[in-house]
Amino acid sequence: VKKAEPPQARDEDKPKGAPVKCAVIGLGTWGRKMLENMAKMGNAPVVAICDTYAAPVHVKKSQALAPNASFAEDYRKVLDNPE
């Protein structure tokens, strides 16, 4: 059985304007869903992901969704990041 691919945003649905750098704190089910949605947007690059309690498998899945993002366990490091 082939897994269905998530729908891609149409060009007219994509946000206009300069990219806004984002961070996701919390890598559970909803955090990973947010990462998927931001990847589809195209102008919301994720620069940091964070979770104190996430299982290693959740961190690995999140890093695959946001390969250019740094990882931190302490949310304060993410909030202190000027990016």
Side-chain angles (χ1 to χ4, degrees):
V1 175
K2 185 177 178 182
K3 185 176 179 180
E5 293 292 322
Q8 297 296 317
R10 299 177 307 195
D11 286 338
E12 61 268 14
D13 293 339
K14 290 185 180 180
K16 308 291 188 265
V20 176
K21 294 179 181 176
C22 302
V24 174
I25 299 173
L27 304 176
T29 302
W30 290 110
R32 291 190 314 276
K33 188 65 173 173
M34 289 172 54
L35 288 171
E36 289 175 11
N37 290 334
M38 284 188 266
K40 289 182 210 173
M41 290 175 62
N43 74 339
V46 178
V47 297
I49 56 175
C50 175
D51 199 309
T52 303
Y53 305 108
V57 68
H58 292 263
V59 174
K60 188 174 182 177
K61 287 180 182 180
S62 298
Q63 289 173 323
L65 292 168
N68 297 321
S70 62
F71 173 75
E73 288 186 358
D74 186 347
Y75 73 93
R76 292 171 288 204
K77 289 182 180 180
V78 174
L79 296 177
D80 287 341
N81 183 341
E83 285 195 87

